[in-house]
Amino acid sequence: DADVTQTPRNRITKTGKRIMLECSQTKGHDRMYWYRQDPGLGLRLIYYSFDVKDINKGEISDGYSVSRQAQAKFSLSLESAIPNQTALYFCATSGGASVFFGPGTRLTVL
Amino acid sequence: GENVEQHPSTLSVQEGDSAVIKCTYSDSASNYFPWYKQELGKRPQLIIDIRSNVGEKKDQRIAVTLNKTAKHFSLHITETQPEDSAVYFCAADSWGKFQFGAGTQVVVTP
């Protein structure tokens, strides 16, 4: 699905650095999500947004922040990266039914 | 909040046999239950879904059943093929907030 894009696709950073992951969608969906995937832990919800003025914490929001710059853009920031934030991060969108995922960003924090 | 448990975590089946993955959820307000397949290195993709007013849904070799009273739902794959090897995730939608199970690694051996 080129409808949901994420940048960068891979990123290596150091402990303490600030990093931003970006997500854009052309599906016209109002709902956007950020998930983190770790082996054996599935997909855990970090933050979600139902429209530009609505931001909600998920189950693992500590250490993360988000910005919904427009209906089509939802970015995730790590204010001060730590090694246990090394994971695969997925942005997703929904028009009210199922969730569509972006290609993922593999983040490594050294 | 919603909690989704998925079993088993790994499942090895002979080609041609059936595979069954089970999930339970906790929030009785959940009313939509999608299943996703994630192949190695790729994003999760929707394969089938079921709404709370339906007890069973079938799409070729894949079927999903839902028991609202017991709060559990299952994925059934019949006549498994090597290309069914992947990680499968169940999810429950509670007011637009999708919670995922931890995933099941399915390996189909020829």
Side-chain angles (χ1 to χ4, degrees):
Chain A
D1 286 70
D3 298 346
V4 184
T5 57
Q6 292 182 234
T7 55
R9 295 292 312 279
N10 288 281
R11 180 73 182 265
I12 300 174
T13 191
K14 294 182 178 180
T15 297
K17 294 290 188 182
R18 184 178 189 276
I19 184 167
M20 179 182 289
L21 309 183
E22 298 185 339
C23 177
S24 294
Q25 54 110 350
T26 59
K27 287 186 167 293
H29 289 167
D30 287 326
R31 299 178 180 183
M32 297 188 74
Y33 306 78
W34 276 104
Y35 286 91
R36 167 179 171 160
Q37 184 174 22
D38 299 275
L41 295 177
L43 294 152
R44 292 184 292 165
L45 184 61
I46 306 172
Y47 271 95
Y48 61 107
S49 169
F50 287 172
D51 65 41
V52 174
K53 296 182 181 179
D54 177 75
I55 303 288
N56 304 283
K57 292 182 177 181
E59 58 185 305
I60 55 162
S61 60
D62 287 348
Y64 302 94
S65 62
V66 291
S67 175
R68 185 81 184 265
Q69 300 95 325
Q71 187 208 33
K73 296 184 183 295
F74 192 36
S75 60
L76 175 72
S77 294
L78 286 67
E79 299 301 326
S80 179
I82 56 177
N84 77 0
Q85 291 178 313
T86 292
L88 182 57
Y89 290 84
F90 284 104
C91 172
T93 73
S94 173
S98 58
V99 171
F100 295 88
F101 286 90
T105 295
R106 186 164 297 281
L107 177 66
T108 302
V109 183
L110 301 176
Chain B
E2 178 64 278
N3 182 45
V4 177
E5 294 192 359
Q6 182 172 347
H7 300 280
S9 57
T10 59
L11 182 58
S12 183
V13 296
Q14 286 285 116
E15 182 177 357
D17 288 350
S18 295
V20 180
I21 303 170
K22 298 182 178 181
C23 290
T24 61
Y25 63 99
S26 60
D27 188 349
S28 56
S30 293
N31 58 9
Y32 174 67
F33 307 90
W35 286 87
Y36 289 80
K37 175 183 180 182
Q38 185 181 29
E39 296 176 342
L40 191 62
K42 297 190 176 181
R43 74 190 80 186
Q45 300 264 15
L46 178 71
I47 55 171
I48 195 168
D49 55 13
I50 191 166
R51 294 200 174 273
S52 58
N53 57 349
V54 175
E56 184 174 357
K57 184 176 179 181
K58 193 172 182 179
D59 182 4
Q60 300 182 347
R61 296 186 297 107
I62 293 174
V64 59
T65 58
L66 171 65
N67 182 327
K68 278 206 71 178
T69 303
K71 295 198 185 75
H72 61 69
F73 55 114
S74 300
L75 178 72
H76 304 252
I77 307 173
T78 59
E79 301 172 21
T80 53
Q81 301 170 4
E83 53 264 37
D84 294 329
S85 295
V87 178
Y88 292 81
F89 293 99
C90 63
D93 175 17
S94 175
W95 305 104
K97 184 179 174 183
F98 287 82
Q99 295 288 131
F100 285 80
T104 297
Q105 174 79 60
V106 174
V107 177
V108 181
T109 54

